[in-house]
Amino acid sequence: VTLEESGGGLVQAGGSTTLSCECDGSIFSVYSLGWFRQTPGKQRELVGSVIRGGMPSYADFVKGRFTISGDFRQSTVALRMNSLRPEDTAIYYCNAVLYNQNKYWGQGTPVTVSS
């Protein structure tokens, strides 16, 4: 299973951008799709995720600003980020968890929010 992210880059504070992720694993084996982020010196933290058949859930620090859209038929997940803040600057990672509990990560895509 491999995950390929796209999107990100440099965005001004208050702006928006969308990250996309494609998972090439069996479309029947993916249980959840989500996004994490990491900044230097900090642990990777959950941004939000969605399980098959369920509603997305989000970290408190992005509620009302970020939206996750998961398509389990296509094994894709998008992260729409609005009202970006400089503290949202991070490497963003796509994550897939299979029904066998195996977890997979994308290579990460940087998002830099300028003030």
Side-chain angles (χ1 to χ4, degrees):
V1 176
T2 60
L3 303 173
E4 184 171 352
E5 299 132 339
S6 60
L10 179 64
V11 185
Q12 287 190 334
S16 301
T17 193
T18 299
L19 307 181
S20 299
C21 176
E22 294 187 14
C23 173
D24 74 349
S26 167
I27 62 172
F28 300 109
S29 64
V30 178
Y31 171 72
S32 76
L33 295 165
W35 291 92
F36 286 70
R37 71 185 188 185
Q38 189 171 21
T39 55
K42 292 188 176 181
Q43 288 189 334
R44 195 171 295 187
E45 61 183 0
L46 174 68
V47 174
S49 64
V50 56
I51 64 173
R52 185 186 292 268
M55 297 295 292
S57 60
Y58 301 93
D60 287 343
F61 54 80
V62 301
K63 282 182 180 178
R65 300 190 298 125
F66 291 9
T67 302
I68 288 178
S69 301
D71 184 343
F72 286 86
R73 294 170 298 177
Q74 303 292 329
S75 288
T76 60
V77 61
L79 177 66
R80 176 66 177 176
M81 302 186 288
N82 297 323
S83 302
L84 282 162
R85 305 166 180 168
E87 54 263 39
D88 294 318
T89 295
I91 305 295
Y92 284 74
Y93 296 89
C94 178
N95 167 265
V97 180
L98 307 189
Y99 280 101
N100 64 9
Q101 297 301 301
N102 286 348
K103 300 178 182 179
Y104 296 89
W105 297 92
Q107 78 283 2
T109 185
V111 174
T112 301
V113 183
S114 63
S115 57

